[in-house]
């Protein structure tokens, strides 16, 4: 069973990778501005932000018991506005503002985790309500004295280092944020006790508890790491576009969840890999960018994403069925 | 005595009194709150949420969720508006809109019940697909000049009673009766409690799911006719965030998201509470963005209260 399932997961990643290359080569040949240095760098920078959110969803969905985070985009908005307000309205040092912004995101994530595991509210409900709450808080702190929500675009130049520069032609945020995060998370899930515990509570909460695992701690930590990743995404995004708006994270939830599910994360929990999600990030980012450059109306992006979400869920289901029959 | 105790502890009674107290305080600070026109206004808004909430209540009782409600709502409104403005008979346009809603609900139901995908995944997917279709069909433009016959669901009235309120009352009575008395409704509750038991007892469980999602699609269509009937306009962003209001109403009304528990009346009271809060905030000149904050906190509080009281029952 273990060997078979491992093979299928490997196959799944290989299939995704092949699809990715086909799409990449297709757009390189048939879309004029796709395979250019400028576009690839741009695409990578965008991919980092949505990628961090997708990784957050991966961890949270793996933790099981209906794990899902609809508030991840709102956490990003709240964190981005915190950074903006602290540095430009309060005149705080930008480094400290950024750290506080990330801390706020981490706190928001752990609050979700707290409600989910200690009070045992289903994650869907928790994150639905905190989505409202974090969104409103982001709006609230962005209000000027007349009660209008104002975007903030007065960051010091040093802040743009993370989002707008490259070393050896490689975007900074890829180098110092995304790649380290991916490596750490991959090791965390595959090599540490915590990773084993996370998969265990995700696939069967009761069995894990009866075997003496600290279910609550493990689950809260997964939501907390999710919040931290959303904070990092807020940092890279505000730094790249040079402004903070209270609606930065709107509509990102669906994308993040779609990527995680496409990457092989099972929505009922207990299954999923960081590598799978990373490949799905590549695929979705290239697909969106290529379609846009080919002149497809951006309106179609979400619709296509929805179809991919359902299609990949069907594929997951069929594979799962095969797994059970072959067993 | 025990019965009275249980009645007092029941969610519906608690919300009912919360609504009374809330109304009392709002009316202290806003004179126009208890004016008959304002009350009519509030219940018109309740109708547009509560009718969808009938479908959503059943879905959540089965342990599912439907976040595509707002998109289905939007696409049925757009279908009806586009057809009726292009010269199709208004009644036929309404009918077609209702069929579209039912079919889209049916599609959700098929994916969830026959292919056994997770409800949240299916409806997240269909939510964005139908949202895209709304933008594509409308081209981002407003639809104006809908003939008055097609607006009857929102603008019509029976005697002095506005038609949407009349319709809401009829539907709530009918479906409450259905949920209390019909054997099929037992299966809906049973599915939420334990789908395996239901299957083992020889019931075709997938039909239960198919029914609730399809019915919900029809309910979203009816609600959209009410809203369009009142505003006489269909914008490209119609229905965004609508699903959250409906889900909030259902959850506030005491339906448990883990399934197996909930009533239509409860959801109606939940919808009333939301409508009163949003109406009261406008009358009290509170910034609109606080409405969502209050709604979010309210849902959390009610769920926490629910979980804490249930814990007491088990012990």
């Amino acid at each position: 069973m273990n060997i078979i399932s491992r093979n299928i997961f490997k196959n799944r990643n290989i299939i995704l990778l092949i699809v990715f290359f086909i799409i990449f080569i297709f757009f390189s040949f048939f879309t004029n501005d796709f395979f250019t240095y400028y576009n690839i760098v741009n695409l990578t920078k965008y991919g980092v932000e949505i990628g961090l959110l997708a990784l957050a969803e991966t961890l949270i969905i793996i933790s099981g018991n209906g794990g899902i985070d609809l508030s991840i985009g709102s956490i990003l908005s709240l964190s981005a506005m915190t950074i903006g307000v602290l540095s430009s309205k309060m005149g705080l040092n930008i480094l400290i503002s950024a750290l506080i912004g990330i801390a706020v995101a981490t706190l928001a994530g752990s609050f979700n985790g707290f409600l989910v595991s200690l009070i045992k509210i289903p994650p869907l409900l928790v994150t639905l309500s905190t989505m409202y709450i974090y969104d409103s808080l982001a709006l609230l702190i962005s209000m000027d004295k007349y009660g209008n929500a104002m975007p903030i675009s007065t960051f010091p130049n040093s802040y743009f280092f993370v989002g707008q520069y490259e070393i050896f032609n490689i975007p900074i945020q890829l180098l110092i944020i995304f790649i380290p995060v991916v490596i750490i998370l991959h090791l965390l899930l595959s090599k540490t006790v915590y990773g084993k515990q996370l998969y265990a509570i995700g696939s069967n909460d009761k069995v894990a508890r009866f075997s003496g695992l600290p279910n609550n701690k493990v689950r809260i930590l997964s939501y907390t790491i999710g919040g931290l990743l959303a904070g990092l995404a807020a940092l890279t995004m505000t730094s790249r576009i040079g402004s903070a708006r209270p609606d930065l994270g709107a509509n990102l939830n669906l994308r993040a969840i779609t990527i995680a599910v496409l990457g092989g994360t099972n929505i009922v929990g207990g299954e999923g890999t960081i590598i799978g999600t990373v490949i799905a990030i590549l695929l979705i980012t290239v697909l969106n960018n290529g379609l846009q450059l080919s002149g497809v109306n951006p309106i179609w992006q979400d619709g296509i994403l929805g179809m991919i979400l359902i299609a990949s869920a069907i594929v997951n289901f069929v594979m799962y069925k095969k797994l059970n029959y072959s067993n | 005595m025990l019965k009275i105790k249980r009645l007092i502890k029941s969610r519906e009674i608690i919300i009912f009194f919360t609504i009374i107290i809330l109304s009392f305080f709002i009316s202290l600070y806003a004179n126009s709150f208890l004016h008959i026109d304002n009350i009519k206004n509030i219940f018109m808004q309740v109708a547009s949420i509560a009718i969808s909430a009938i479908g959503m209540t059943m879905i959540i009782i089965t342990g599912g969720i439907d976040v595509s409600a707002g998109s289905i709502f939007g696409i049925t409104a757009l279908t009806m508006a586009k057809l009726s403005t292009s010269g199709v008979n208004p009644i036929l346009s309404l009918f077609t809109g209702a069929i579209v809603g039912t079919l889209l609900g049916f599609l959700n139901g098929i994916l969830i019940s026959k292919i056994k995908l997770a409800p949240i995944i299916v409806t997240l997917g269909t939510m964005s697909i139908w949202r895209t279709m709304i933008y594509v069909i409308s081209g981002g433009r407003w639809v104006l000049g809908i003939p008055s016959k097609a607006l009857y669901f929102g603008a019509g009235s029976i005697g002095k009673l506005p038609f949407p309120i009349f319709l809401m009352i009829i539907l709530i009575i009918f479906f409450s009766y259905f949920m209390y008395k019909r054997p099929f409704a037992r299966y809906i509750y049973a599915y939420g409690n334990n789908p395996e038991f239901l299957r083992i007892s020889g019931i075709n469980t997938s039909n239960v799911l198919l029914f609730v999602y399809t019915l919900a699609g029809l309910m979203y269509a009816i609600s959209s006719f009410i809203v369009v009937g009142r505003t006489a306009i269909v914008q490209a962003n119609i229905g965004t965030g609508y699903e959250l209001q409906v889900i909030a109403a259902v959850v506030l009304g005491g339906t448990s998201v883990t399934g197996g528990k909930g009533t239509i009346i409860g959801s109606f009271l939940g919808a009333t509470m939301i409508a009163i809060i949003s109406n009261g905030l406008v009358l009290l000149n509170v910034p609109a963005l606080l409405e969502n904050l209050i709604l979010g906190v309210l849902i959390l509080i009610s769920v926490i209260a629910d979980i804490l009281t249930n814990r007491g029952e088990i012990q």
Side-chain angles (χ1 to χ4, degrees):
Chain A
M1 167 70 193
N2 224 337
I3 296 167
I4 297 170
S5 72
R6 218 179 288 154
N7 275 337
I8 285 186
F9 278 121
K10 269 188 190 152
N11 279 344
R12 188 195 167 85
N13 284 349
I14 290 169
I15 294 168
L16 278 180
L17 211 54
I18 293 171
V19 174
F20 163 70
F21 279 119
I22 292 174
I23 293 175
F24 192 87
I25 291 168
F26 176 83
F27 283 130
S28 304
F29 275 106
F30 294 101
T31 308
N32 281 335
D33 299 322
F34 180 78
F35 197 67
T36 58
Y37 170 69
Y38 178 76
N39 185 51
I40 300 288
V41 164
N42 254 348
L43 174 158
T44 315
K45 286 179 175 172
Y46 178 73
V48 165
E49 291 151 16
I50 188 66
L52 287 169
L53 297 186
L55 290 171
E57 290 288 355
T58 307
L59 282 185
I60 291 168
I61 296 174
I62 290 176
S63 80
N65 261 9
I68 197 158
D69 193 346
L70 299 179
S71 72
I72 202 87
S74 312
I75 295 181
L76 185 145
S77 306
L78 179 59
S79 170
M81 280 317 299
T82 310
I83 299 174
V85 167
L86 285 181
S87 77
S88 77
K89 279 192 193 162
M90 311 269 179
L92 221 61
N93 179 313
I94 186 66
L95 187 65
I96 297 173
S97 315
L99 286 179
I100 295 178
I102 294 173
V104 165
T106 314
L107 210 64
S110 64
F111 182 62
N112 284 343
F114 169 79
L115 291 175
V116 166
S117 29
L118 292 184
I119 311 195
K120 306 259 181 288
I121 310 177
L124 191 75
L125 256 196
V126 168
T127 57
L128 186 71
S129 10
T130 55
M131 176 181 86
Y132 279 131
I133 295 172
Y134 299 152
D135 261 341
S136 316
L137 288 179
L139 269 169
L140 212 61
I141 60 173
S142 72
M143 274 199 311
D144 61 7
K145 54 179 183 258
Y146 307 110
N148 298 319
M150 299 297 281
I152 286 170
S153 33
T154 47
F155 287 105
N157 277 334
S158 59
Y159 186 59
F160 303 140
F161 168 74
V162 182
Q164 300 181 1
Y165 290 85
E166 293 101 40
I167 303 178
F168 305 125
N169 294 337
I170 303 171
I172 302 269
Q173 63 264 59
L174 184 69
L175 215 54
I176 67 165
I177 294 183
F178 193 68
I179 292 177
V181 162
V182 166
I183 293 173
I184 291 170
L185 287 182
H186 178 68
L187 294 178
L188 185 72
L189 286 196
S190 58
K191 301 282 181 224
T192 64
V193 177
Y194 175 76
K196 302 262 183 305
Q197 290 176 337
L198 186 67
Y199 284 112
I201 66 164
S203 45
N204 198 325
D205 192 62
K206 266 195 190 131
V207 169
R209 190 167 41 229
F210 289 142
S211 349
L213 294 189
N215 283 27
N216 289 344
K217 269 189 205 161
V218 173
R219 193 165 282 128
I220 291 178
L221 190 58
S222 78
Y223 282 88
T224 309
I225 297 174
L228 172 68
L229 294 174
L232 290 175
L235 168 75
T236 51
M237 191 183 267
T238 45
S239 162
R240 174 177 63 94
I241 63 178
S243 75
R245 290 198 320 265
D247 63 343
L248 272 186
N251 300 326
L252 291 183
N253 299 326
L254 169 76
R255 281 178 209 178
I257 295 169
T258 306
I259 291 172
V261 172
L262 179 65
T265 313
N266 189 342
I267 195 71
V268 295
E271 278 171 34
T273 59
I274 297 298
I275 294 179
T277 302
V278 170
I279 298 175
I281 295 167
L282 292 174
L283 209 161
I284 294 287
T285 315
V286 166
L287 185 69
N288 272 348
N289 176 277
L291 287 177
Q292 212 167 343
L293 289 180
S294 321
V296 175
N297 194 324
I299 285 171
W300 282 98
Q301 275 187 15
D302 276 348
I304 291 171
L305 218 56
M307 291 180 216
I308 294 175
L309 180 64
I310 292 178
S312 65
I314 293 177
V315 171
N316 276 5
F317 171 73
V318 170
M319 278 187 160
Y320 181 73
K321 220 176 182 181
K322 241 188 210 164
L323 214 74
N324 278 1
Y325 280 129
S326 64
N327 196 15
Chain B
M1 194 59 202
L2 201 69
K3 251 188 176 171
I4 296 173
K5 235 181 194 172
R6 200 180 295 157
L7 192 68
I8 292 172
K9 269 183 91 177
S10 88
R11 183 57 161 268
E12 287 81 0
I13 297 292
I14 294 174
I15 299 190
F16 183 72
F17 281 108
T18 317
I19 289 173
I20 303 263
I21 294 167
L22 211 63
S23 309
F24 175 72
F25 279 107
I26 295 174
S27 63
L28 279 187
Y29 294 97
N31 294 326
S32 53
F33 180 74
L34 286 180
H35 195 272
I36 184 75
D37 283 338
N38 192 49
I39 291 178
K40 225 185 231 176
N41 239 336
I42 290 175
F43 278 99
M44 296 279 265
Q45 203 199 332
V46 173
S48 66
I49 298 176
I51 291 176
S52 290
I54 293 174
M56 189 68 84
T57 309
M58 292 188 195
I59 289 176
I60 296 183
I61 289 174
T62 65
I65 191 87
D66 187 354
V67 293
S68 70
S71 296
I72 295 181
F73 175 97
I75 211 158
T76 53
L78 188 65
T79 309
M80 186 275 277
K82 276 275 180 192
L83 285 178
S84 62
T85 49
S86 61
V88 179
N89 182 320
I91 294 163
L92 192 65
S93 321
L94 285 168
F95 198 65
T96 316
I99 289 179
V100 168
T102 314
L103 279 180
L104 297 188
F106 183 74
L107 182 71
N108 280 342
I110 286 281
L111 289 170
I112 291 163
S113 68
K114 303 288 182 201
I115 314 190
K116 302 201 169 44
L117 303 182
I120 179 73
I121 293 291
V122 169
T123 55
L124 263 179
T126 51
M127 171 182 89
S128 48
I129 295 173
W130 306 134
R131 179 57 55 191
T132 295
M133 293 318 290
I134 291 170
Y135 278 105
V136 170
I137 295 171
S138 71
R141 285 182 295 274
W142 294 6
V143 183
L144 292 162
I146 303 165
S148 62
K149 256 194 184 165
L151 301 178
Y152 184 78
F153 273 79
S157 60
I158 291 180
K160 284 207 160 178
L161 191 66
F163 183 69
I165 299 179
F166 169 78
L167 187 64
M168 170 179 73
I169 294 171
I170 296 289
L171 287 175
I172 286 176
I173 291 175
F174 177 77
F175 282 106
S176 291
Y177 166 76
F178 172 79
M179 291 302 268
Y180 278 117
K181 293 288 182 200
R182 303 308 302 167
F184 190 77
R186 295 284 123 213
Y187 301 157
I188 296 178
Y189 284 103
Y191 188 91
N193 278 320
N194 196 328
E196 273 313 307
F197 282 176
L198 197 61
R199 191 167 18 242
I200 290 165
S201 20
I203 312 292
N204 187 343
T205 51
S206 66
N207 281 349
V208 175
L209 289 185
L210 196 56
F211 169 78
V212 294
Y213 285 94
T214 310
L215 177 74
L218 176 62
M219 292 296 141
Y220 307 149
I222 294 175
S223 305
S224 80
F225 299 155
I226 290 175
V227 172
V228 175
R230 291 179 62 196
T231 55
I233 183 177
V234 173
Q235 291 164 313
N237 67 351
I238 183 168
T240 40
Y242 176 74
E243 62 276 356
L244 298 178
Q245 282 183 320
V246 177
I247 294 171
V250 172
V251 172
L252 273 179
T255 300
S256 142
V257 268
T258 48
K261 211 183 99 198
T263 61
I264 308 267
I265 294 286
S267 302
F268 161 72
L269 291 171
T272 310
M273 192 155 154
I274 290 175
I276 284 179
I277 288 173
S278 71
N279 182 276
L281 289 181
V282 172
L283 293 183
L284 299 174
N285 284 325
V286 179
L289 63 93
L290 276 180
E291 192 184 325
N292 282 343
L293 185 65
I294 293 173
L295 205 56
V297 173
L298 213 62
I299 298 173
L300 273 187
I301 290 176
S302 73
V303 176
I304 292 173
D306 200 32
I307 285 169
L308 292 181
T309 50
N310 276 346
R311 262 183 208 164
E313 268 170 33
I314 292 164
Q315 290 158 0

